[in-house]
Amino acid sequence: FAQLFEQFGESVPPFVNFMRGAMDQPPYEPVRDMGALKDLLTEKLDDYGLEPGASTMDLVLFKDALHHICRIHRILQQPRGNALLVGVGG
């Protein structure tokens, strides 16, 4: 099992299928550039803020937040996918 991830070294990157844009069946692949992931998610966050009736969210996308967003996205893409998110506000 360890051999599957030895190419990534100590930390395994998040795996996503939304980095390549508009494709019918985008590949599920590891994120090679965390800066590109952060830019993409920041752009999507800005797009959300421009929708009518939506308020702007001023979020800081640090490394752990990016990993959690990728995990949540993967869960919600599954049939009947759901998750209980618990955290500290503030």
Side-chain angles (χ1 to χ4, degrees):
F1 180 74
Q3 295 170 347
L4 292 173
F5 299 109
E6 83 182 9
Q7 67 178 336
F8 300 114
E10 292 295 317
S11 64
V12 177
F15 282 70
V16 298
N17 65 351
F18 56 81
M19 289 293 291
R20 293 220 186 164
M23 295 176 70
D24 287 338
Q25 293 290 328
Y28 195 67
E29 58 192 355
V31 174
R32 302 274 183 213
D33 183 10
M34 291 298 284
L37 175 65
K38 183 176 181 176
D39 292 342
L40 176 69
L41 293 177
T42 301
E43 179 184 334
K44 296 296 182 184
L45 187 61
D46 292 340
D47 290 347
Y48 173 79
L50 295 175
E51 290 183 11
S55 59
T56 304
M57 291 190 288
D58 188 26
L59 299 178
V60 177
L61 298 177
F62 51 93
K63 182 181 175 184
D64 286 337
L66 295 174
H67 281 260
H68 286 301
I69 291 169
C70 293
R71 288 184 192 114
I72 293 166
H73 179 265
R74 184 179 67 233
I75 291 168
L76 294 178
Q77 292 298 309
Q78 300 296 317
R80 299 179 59 135
N82 60 73
L84 175 64
L85 304 177
V86 179
V88 178

